């Protein structure tokens, strides 16, 4: 009989309550800033990181999950008697973390050729709870006795249809990250333009630009209502702008179910959107 473990990395932004309830292992990416290293979600909280982002003249950078973290996870899972580990990784086009997971798996089996553990590594092709929700649902399925094949099929559907929608409400960090040119960011902030950013095939894409916070929230909710698969999970994300988040929650009040999670944007996504942001993540 299979005994299945689910794991992921910190960019999935899964709230601690889900991690603890469903025994999900989360490996931290590393954040580098002014000569200091922080393990995402371990050494620094989102709120602490927002302060750094607000004050930084040069944005912090992130580094992939280290091979030692993966090797330690694989060893622990094997020792605990699991037959299968299903690991869901941050978008491989935006980080070397997926490749590190694969290389570490090869190293692990070279060092432990007799270990009977199946390690399945899945590229989410996206960010934040757009794959964090998939991980939570996979862990729930494993807890309820689903097979490896059933869980992997569910994750594959998520990968194919995940839709993260982020709106930076100021363009300071977006400008620094290079996703919008300094000139465009200056003009955008001056006239109140808010870009709606998503990811398609692992690549960032600006779906549209609207003027003003209220119209940005309306546009987010309208797209979600048109696209979201009825009855499936969605999550709401926010940073430091609580007023905008309350307005977003109010606009989603007539959805067919409450959100799976309402959570603070994590450090890795925050580098690109800035702390003054909101978003909806769901499955098309």
């Amino acid at each position: 009989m299979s005994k299945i473990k689910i794991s992921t990395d910190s960019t999935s932004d899964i709230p601690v309550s889900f991690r603890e309830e469903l025994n999900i292992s989360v490996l931290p990416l590393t954040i580098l800033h002014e000569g200091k290293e922080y393990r995402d979600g371990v050494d620094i909280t989102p709120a602490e990181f927002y302060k750094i982002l607000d004050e930084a003249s040069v944005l912090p950078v992130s580094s992939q999950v280290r091979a030692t973290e993966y090797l330690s996870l694989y060893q622990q899972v094997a020792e605990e008697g699991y037959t299968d580990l299903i690991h869901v990784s941050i978008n491989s086009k935006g980080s070397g973390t997926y490749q590190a997971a694969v290389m570490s798996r090869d190293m692990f089996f070279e060092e432990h050729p007799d270990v009977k553990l199946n390690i399945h590594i899945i590229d989410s092709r996206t960010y934040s709870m757009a794959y964090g929700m998939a991980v939570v649902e996979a862990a729930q399925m494993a807890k309820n006795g689903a097979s490896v094949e059933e869980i992997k099929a569910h994750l594959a559907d998520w990968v194919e249809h995940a839709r993260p929608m982020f709106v930076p409400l100021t363009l300071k960090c977006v400008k620094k990250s290079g996703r919008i040119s300094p000139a465009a960011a200056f003009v955008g902030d001056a006239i109140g333009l808010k870009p709606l950013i998503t990811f398609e095939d692992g690549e960032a894409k600006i779906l549209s630009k609207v003027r003003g916070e209220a119209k940005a929230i309306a546009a987010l909710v309208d797209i979600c209502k048109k696209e979201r698969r009825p009855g499936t999970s969605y999550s709401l994300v926010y940073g430091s702008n609580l007023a905008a988040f309350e307005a977003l929650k109010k606009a989603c009040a007539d959805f067919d179910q409450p959100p799976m999670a309402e959570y603070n944007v994590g450090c890795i996504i925050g580098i690109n959107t800035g702390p003054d942001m909101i978003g909806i993540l769901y499955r098309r």
Side-chain angles (χ1 to χ4, degrees):
M1 183 176 176
S2 296
K3 183 181 179 183
I4 305 167
K5 174 75 172 180
I6 307 296
S7 63
T8 187
D9 53 64
S10 60
T11 309
S12 63
D13 289 343
I14 298 172
V16 173
S17 58
F18 286 121
R19 301 183 194 184
E20 293 178 347
E21 176 189 350
L22 296 168
N23 192 29
I24 301 168
S25 290
V26 179
L27 304 185
L29 276 76
T30 301
I31 299 161
L32 311 172
H33 179 61
E34 294 184 347
K36 294 182 180 179
E37 288 190 358
Y38 305 90
R39 289 171 297 165
D40 181 23
V42 178
D43 303 320
I44 191 167
T45 66
E48 291 167 340
F49 190 64
Y50 299 163
K51 189 171 186 296
I52 289 176
L53 285 175
D54 275 335
E55 297 173 355
S57 55
V58 177
L59 283 181
V61 296
S62 61
S63 178
Q64 67 195 44
V65 175
R66 294 169 176 153
T68 53
E69 297 273 5
Y70 281 114
L71 292 171
S72 177
L73 172 68
Y74 300 158
Q75 180 71 44
Q76 180 181 352
V77 170
E79 289 175 353
E80 291 176 355
Y82 287 93
T83 59
D84 293 84
L85 170 66
I86 301 176
H87 180 81
V88 187
S89 173
I90 180 179
N91 176 23
S92 64
K93 291 186 178 181
S95 170
T97 292
Y98 171 79
Q99 289 80 5
V102 173
M103 290 176 62
S104 299
R105 178 180 60 186
D106 295 341
M107 291 169 57
F108 178 74
F109 286 124
E110 285 175 8
E111 296 175 4
H112 305 88
D114 297 326
V115 168
K116 304 300 182 184
L117 174 65
N118 300 304
I119 301 176
H120 315 267
I121 302 173
I122 296 170
D123 178 4
S124 73
R125 305 209 312 255
T126 191
Y127 298 94
S128 195
M129 282 291 280
Y131 70 101
M133 285 185 287
V135 172
V136 169
E137 291 179 356
Q140 289 171 332
M141 291 176 71
K143 185 177 180 179
N144 292 335
S147 68
V148 170
E149 292 73 22
E150 288 170 331
I151 295 170
K152 288 177 68 176
H154 186 72
L155 289 168
D157 184 72
W158 258 105
V159 168
E160 187 66 26
H161 298 99
R163 172 69 98 181
M165 297 283 293
F166 303 110
V167 179
L169 298 174
T170 58
L171 302 179
K172 178 180 174 182
C173 286
V174 182
K175 176 179 70 176
K176 290 178 184 176
S177 72
R179 297 202 182 280
I180 292 178
S181 72
F186 176 81
V187 173
D189 270 336
I191 63 175
L193 281 181
K194 317 296 181 188
L196 277 66
I197 301 173
T198 189
F199 289 85
E200 294 182 354
D201 296 322
E203 303 286 353
K205 179 179 179 180
I206 297 177
L207 285 185
S208 64
K209 299 175 185 176
V210 295
R211 183 176 291 186
E213 234 173 67
K215 288 184 178 179
I217 291 168
L220 264 183
V221 174
D222 183 58
I223 292 173
C224 182
K225 284 182 175 180
K226 289 176 180 176
E227 290 190 339
R228 177 177 155 259
R229 194 183 305 178
T232 56
S233 302
Y234 67 98
S235 289
L236 305 180
V237 57
Y238 63 101
S240 56
N241 193 327
L242 297 182
F245 179 58
E246 289 301 321
L248 175 62
K249 284 173 60 176
K250 185 175 180 180
C252 295
D254 62 348
F255 279 22
D256 57 10
Q257 64 189 62
M260 172 188 281
E262 299 173 356
Y263 69 99
N264 284 118
V265 65
C267 300
I268 307 302
I269 300 303
I271 291 172
N272 293 285
T273 64
D276 190 0
M277 61 82 69
I278 52 172
I280 306 178
L281 308 97
Y282 56 93
R283 192 168 16 150
R284 289 181 288 181

